Amino acid sequence: MAELSAAEPARVHAVIVGIEHFGRVRDRNWDLAGAAADAMRFARWLRRRGVPAENITLMLAPVPAAQAAFNAEAHALGIDVRFVVSRDHIMDGFRPRPEVPVGDLLYVYWGGHGVLDHGDRRLLLCPDAHDGDQRCIDLHQLREYLTRSDVAECPQQVFLVDACATFREVNSGPSGPAVAAFPAGPRQAVDQFLLLAAATGQAALQDEARGTGAFSDAVMAWLEERSPGLAPDLAALSAHLEEHFDGSGPDGSALQTPVAMELLAPGGRGKVVALGPPSGPAPTAESAPAARAPRRRGGLVAAGVAVAAAVAVAAGGTVYGLMSPGKGGADGKGGSAPAAAAPGAASPSAPPSPSPSGSAAPSGGPSAQPAAAPASATPAPSAQPTAVQPAGPPKVCASAQPIASVPEVVAAPCYVLDGGRVTMIAEVRATRPVDVAVYLWLTAKDDPRHLFPTGGTAQQTRRVAAREDVLEPVGIALPPGRYEVHMYVTRKGEPAPSPTNPTVTGRSQGFTYP
């Protein structure tokens, strides 16, 4: 299955789901900005490779203000988008149509909140879920449903699931999830490959500054660059994710561990070889990170082989490492909870877990919030003294994130609020000495315009040999409000971020002033 058969575009089908808005939740803590855009990105990839629009079922639950824009983009692709608001809408999108899809390959993409139930059931939350009634579907029951010949006639099926696998008992209200069952029916032999964003007990993280799930972004970037056709090398994709998410938490456990599973029909061509479990002990319900809202996107799936009457299941291609976290700060989503905020500043809070009192959400399901990750190897002694952090209130940081263009570096945006003085900080860590350019700038929250420096960035070049704080005081008076410190790191000599391009937002940490 890791070697897909070449498929003609007309014989490829897809069901794509992106749930970022949960209309029955009173506050917006559950909303998962970027889930709909990630789904649209996958639809765009399929269309650009010739898949007919009528072969694509696109189901989106965007925030209401974005619905018109998504509708226009879908129509530009020739796709009739379905705006879904309930579990029934989602299930209807998978149910048999007047003509059963017949082809060589079926793609299923899901972006949204998720939890891991007892029995390792991965539950995907639907748009009408809320704290007291977490309506959802069971991923593996959906997988089995799609083996019915009266639902889909596609012998190869690929599932890409960007959702958390945090423990249900940590993230659900007293009543637990409300799972709807797909009807049973006669099955057929089908090869299925599942690529899941998170392992047991883990959150699937989101880059809120860029509005994308870290897993979805990594998968799509690889598909766009490395797969000109519709039958990508799934083993190579899994290996890419293993390398891309190479990082671990302070206790040695993986922050996010994408998992590959291969389910082969009898007589299948083989099975994925497990690459090995993440470093450190598997998480437990008691040791799971503090939960965010339902999701993202929030477990280690056993790497073993279970044999059923009709399907050989191999949990393989286990990928382990660091997912790019979403932004931290006053909005409560993303990186690890920072240290206590300075007096006079709003303390960036860890989003609440879905519970009767309310919930905050990463992607599609209750997700846990990991701690910041250290560099992946023991750093060498520093060749120069590191900058001294300003005395007084503590430094508040988002989670450290790997820098794609400088693999030996992880970095985090931070700030210190000392009375009326604000200092922007880039906390940079390297596994070996490297020359980097560090850019810092300040914006008002949700405003791409550079507030300080005006229309530009503050640039410093450093040789980082271990860990260093790059400081930049904010030299303007700020009115009360919400702000974001942005950071961008490149190898020395590479192009700088453009201050006129609103898509270049770097990594960010929010705060409230004063």
Side-chain angles (χ1 to χ4, degrees):
M1 179 62 180
E3 298 179 1
L4 294 172
S5 302
E8 292 295 326
R11 294 185 59 79
V12 174
H13 296 265
V15 182
I16 303 171
V17 180
I19 304 174
E20 66 178 38
H21 180 62
F22 296 79
R24 298 177 68 199
V25 180
R26 291 185 178 181
D27 58 39
R28 296 277 59 84
N29 284 334
W30 278 44
D31 282 357
L32 190 60
D38 289 339
M40 184 68 77
R41 186 177 178 183
F42 186 62
R44 190 162 53 244
W45 179 79
L46 292 171
R47 290 289 288 133
R48 287 177 176 173
R49 280 152 182 75
V51 176
E54 59 270 21
N55 287 14
I56 300 173
T57 298
L58 177 61
M59 295 185 281
L60 302 180
V63 295
Q67 184 167 317
F70 281 112
N71 193 49
E73 183 172 2
H75 284 179
L77 295 172
I79 301 173
D80 291 328
V81 60
R82 303 183 186 189
F83 291 110
V84 293
V85 298
S86 71
R87 182 177 58 196
D88 286 348
H89 286 171
I90 297 289
M91 297 180 74
D92 286 345
F94 286 100
R95 283 183 173 135
R97 308 168 193 173
E99 294 185 6
V100 175
V102 177
D104 301 319
L105 176 61
L106 171 68
Y107 279 105
V108 176
Y109 171 90
W110 185 292
H113 288 300
V115 294
L116 189 74
D117 198 8
H118 294 284
D120 288 338
R121 292 199 307 168
R122 288 179 180 257
L123 305 181
L124 306 175
L125 273 68
C126 295
D128 52 348
H130 63 92
D131 289 315
D133 184 7
Q134 293 192 2
R135 300 181 183 183
C136 57
I137 62 173
D138 183 332
L139 169 62
H140 290 292
Q141 190 189 57
L142 169 63
R143 176 198 63 72
E144 182 177 286
Y145 179 68
L146 292 175
T147 67
R148 286 179 46 172
S149 59
D150 59 341
V151 174
E153 282 276 7
C154 296
Q156 297 183 112
Q157 300 179 1
V158 175
F159 295 72
L160 304 172
V161 181
D162 196 350
C164 288
T166 48
F167 296 109
R168 186 266 292 172
E169 57 269 32
V170 175
N171 292 291
S172 293
S175 60
V179 186
F182 287 94
R187 295 168 294 171
Q188 58 184 346
V190 172
D191 285 349
Q192 294 179 322
F193 181 88
L194 287 76
L195 192 53
L196 312 174
T200 296
Q202 295 178 341
L205 304 182
Q206 178 164 343
D207 186 337
E208 300 245 355
R210 297 174 55 232
T212 182
F215 170 83
S216 290
D217 186 49
V219 170
M220 289 310 307
W222 189 92
L223 289 175
E224 290 161 354
E225 296 173 7
R226 307 288 182 86
S227 183
L230 290 161
D233 184 338
L234 298 175
L237 173 56
S238 296
H240 164 73
L241 292 176
E242 177 186 20
E243 180 179 359
H244 181 81
F245 297 117
D246 181 18
S248 60
D251 62 353
S253 62
L255 292 182
Q256 184 171 350
T257 308
V259 172
M261 299 179 65
E262 189 166 13
L263 295 83
L264 300 176
R269 291 179 295 283
K271 59 192 177 188
V272 175
V273 176
L275 301 179
S279 58
T284 64
E286 291 73 20
S287 64
R292 289 190 291 180
R295 177 186 134 138
R296 223 192 252 258
R297 264 182 182 194
L300 238 162
V301 173
V305 179
V307 180
V311 182
V313 180
T318 302
V319 183
Y320 50 97
L322 172 66
M323 291 292 282
S324 303
K327 68 185 172 189
D331 59 8
K333 294 183 181 180
S336 62
S347 175
S349 58
S353 63
S355 67
S357 59
S359 58
S363 74
S367 71
Q369 189 169 0
S376 58
T378 303
S382 177
Q384 62 186 57
T386 58
V388 178
Q389 180 180 327
K395 178 176 64 177
V396 178
C397 297
S399 293
Q401 304 183 35
I403 305 301
S405 61
V406 195
E408 54 269 70
V409 169
V410 296
C414 315
Y415 73 90
V416 166
L417 183 60
D418 185 3
R421 298 186 300 275
V422 178
T423 301
M424 302 184 293
I425 303 174
E427 183 182 280
V428 184
R429 287 171 279 174
T431 59
R432 63 181 180 83
V434 59
D435 293 322
V436 298
V438 179
Y439 302 86
L440 287 161
W441 67 98
L442 182 74
T443 70
K445 176 155 177 67
D446 298 327
D447 188 339
R449 294 173 296 180
H450 293 205
L451 187 62
F452 180 83
T454 304
T457 62
Q459 175 185 356
Q460 298 186 37
T461 57
R462 296 291 178 88
R463 183 168 187 80
V464 180
R467 174 173 178 162
E468 180 155 349
D469 282 354
V470 178
L471 312 181
E472 188 67 36
V474 174
I476 61 173
L478 299 177
R482 298 176 70 190
Y483 297 90
E484 291 178 333
V485 173
H486 296 267
M487 174 205 71
Y488 191 83
V489 180
T490 67
R491 197 177 297 277
K492 182 180 178 181
E494 292 185 353
S498 169
T500 61
N501 182 355
T503 64
V504 179
T505 57
R507 316 293 172 89
S508 66
Q509 168 65 45
F511 67 95
T512 299
Y513 181 89

